[in-house]
Amino acid sequence: MSDGADSCWQDTLSDEAYRVTRCGGTEAPFTGQYWDTKTPGTYHCVCCDVALFASATKYASGSGWPSFWQPIAEGVVAERRDVTHGMVRVEVLCAACEGHLGHVFPDGPQPTGLRYCINSASLRLEASET
């Protein structure tokens, strides 16, 4: 990432959103804005505003982070191997801007069996009336 692009992100995002999305950080469990919200709507990337997850796929995982069993559409999230912190995990990123969102785990509910464990700081909820 160029210094100019980095500066743009710093100017645009909150300190916490920048730390999470552009530096690969993680917010503490049970502290993020959306970990327990039940508001219907669409969750967008806080960086580039692409729609990522629908509230209909959000569920209470008990993890302390917003959890979804699938993205809103195929190809909106990208995945890559993450071997930081002495673990092997699958990192989830916004496919459009490569912002760090969280991780995906194979312990979620059906129909996918996946748990997209996402940082609230990487999301913006666009509430809907239904």
Side-chain angles (χ1 to χ4, degrees):
M1 180 181 305
S2 72
D3 290 335
D6 189 56
S7 175
C8 180
W9 289 123
Q10 284 181 308
D11 292 344
T12 306
L13 301 170
S14 70
D15 290 345
E16 179 72 348
Y18 178 80
R19 184 185 70 78
V20 168
T21 62
R22 308 324 301 179
C23 302
T26 300
E27 63 199 9
F30 304 102
T31 64
Q33 179 179 4
Y34 302 124
W35 78 269
D36 67 343
T37 187
K38 294 174 180 40
T39 304
T42 304
Y43 290 86
H44 293 249
C45 175
V46 73
C47 298
C48 70
D49 206 36
V50 165
L52 299 172
F53 297 96
S55 62
T57 64
K58 187 174 187 285
Y59 71 99
S61 69
S63 67
W65 289 278
S67 297
F68 305 87
W69 49 267
Q70 78 178 15
I72 199 164
E74 193 170 320
V76 297
V77 299
E79 297 178 0
R80 74 175 163 209
R81 186 175 180 195
D82 177 0
V83 294
T84 60
H85 308 293
M87 298 178 272
V88 177
R89 301 178 290 174
V90 178
E91 179 183 13
V92 178
L93 305 120
C94 174
C97 71
E98 298 183 348
H100 172 76
L101 302 173
H103 293 86
V104 62
F105 301 96
D107 61 1
Q110 292 305 315
T112 65
L114 299 174
R115 173 173 51 102
Y116 287 85
C117 190
I118 308 299
N119 291 285
S120 290
S122 67
L123 300 172
R124 180 188 65 79
L125 174 59
E126 186 174 298
S128 66
E129 307 245 344
T130 55

